[in-house]
Amino acid sequence: MPADLRHAAERAKGFMPPSEGQALFETACAYGSLGPICEIGTYCGKSAIYLGAGARHTSSVVFTVDHHRGSEEIQPGWAHHDPTLMDPRFGKMDSLPFFRTAIASAGLEEEVIAVVGRSETVARYWNIPLAMLFIDGGHSEGPVTSDYEGWAPHVMVDGALVFHDIYPDPARGGQAPFRVYGRALASGDFKEVAAEGSLRVLQRVASPGPSA
Ligand code: SAH
Ligand code: MG
């Protein structure tokens, strides 16, 4: 990954360790030539920079979806809450200005396209086949389930479905993403092709024809 983009990603606020970011970049490079990339859970744009670097490399784009009001697990009072993200005018979090700064600083405004809204609502209207889908939005059971159900059907054959925060050991982290990842594998629609830290890369297999 180009050093300037890697530095921009490392400077941005977020929850993506460098080794997993590198894997995200490599995955975007591997799949981006098939079509657009979509991320669920933008936050301050850290992972979007890794994806955007891969999109640039393959002449693709990244749509990144977030209401920018924070997941339940990053609200005031929770361990990962960042008080500098509070907007006192509305008494709500707002990560959108941080995202804009991060993407502009990285020089990726042509490649990374913000979609601001609830993931469930955007999914209901979406009909663009995806070369790569990265699920990193709300990490509790309801949101991660609806992200899978609403977005995974848009992953094209041979495209990638990528999950973050997969912790087989409950002592390491929440289990909802791990359960949904298990469901994706059990569906028979996806096979696992790579793993790095808590990142898991699945690929859609062709659905069996009538004679199979
Ligand atoms: N991918 C980022 C981290 C994302 S944190 C990184 O690696 O840096 C999860 C994000 O999901 C939060 O910004 C939160 O606002 C968003 N989110 C949670 N539930 C959502 C929903 N239902 N619709 C849209 N965004 C949601
Ligand atoms: Mg994450």
Side-chain angles (χ1 to χ4, degrees):
M1 178 161 163
D4 57 329
L5 294 178
R6 198 176 66 240
H7 292 142
E10 288 173 5
R11 272 196 311 272
K13 281 179 189 287
F15 308 106
M16 185 57 55
S19 60
E20 297 177 16
Q22 174 67 28
L24 209 52
F25 164 70
E26 287 169 10
T27 306
C29 287
Y31 292 90
S33 61
L34 298 175
I37 296 164
C38 184
E39 168 178 71
I40 312 303
T42 314
Y43 193 52
C44 301
K46 192 183 193 70
S47 47
I49 295 175
Y50 291 108
L51 292 170
R56 173 174 292 171
H57 190 74
T58 53
S59 302
S60 185
V61 289
V62 181
F63 295 101
T64 180
V65 182
D66 201 309
H67 49 41
H68 288 278
R69 297 304 190 190
S71 316
E72 353 170 358
E73 63 272 12
I74 56 176
Q75 295 300 325
W78 291 76
H80 294 292
H81 178 66
D82 179 342
T84 64
L85 265 61
M86 286 304 289
D87 182 341
R89 297 172 304 163
F90 304 106
K92 290 178 181 175
M93 290 178 60
D94 187 4
S95 46
L96 185 55
F98 294 83
F99 161 79
R100 196 162 180 78
T101 300
I103 297 304
S105 307
L108 285 169
E109 290 186 315
E110 290 300 317
E111 289 84 0
V112 180
I113 301 162
V115 179
V116 182
R118 274 172 58 82
S119 165
E120 297 84 336
T121 310
V122 180
R124 211 175 305 138
Y125 292 93
W126 192 268
N127 65 6
I128 302 170
L130 298 172
M132 173 177 177
L133 170 65
F134 176 48
I135 297 186
D136 194 24
H139 287 47
S140 47
E141 202 76 43
V144 69
T145 299
S146 58
D147 284 343
Y148 172 68
E149 292 179 352
W151 288 97
H154 297 294
V155 176
M156 60 180 64
V157 170
D158 296 331
L161 168 61
V162 183
F163 288 98
H164 197 222
D165 303 300
I166 300 305
Y167 299 108
D169 175 2
R172 301 272 329 279
Q175 293 298 286
F178 178 60
R179 277 194 290 274
V180 172
Y181 148 82
R183 183 178 156 193
L185 283 175
S187 72
D189 295 334
F190 298 95
K191 63 174 183 192
E192 185 161 324
V193 292
E196 172 62 42
S198 75
L199 203 73
R200 296 291 181 281
V201 182
L202 278 52
Q203 184 176 308
R204 185 183 285 283
V205 296
S207 49
S211 61

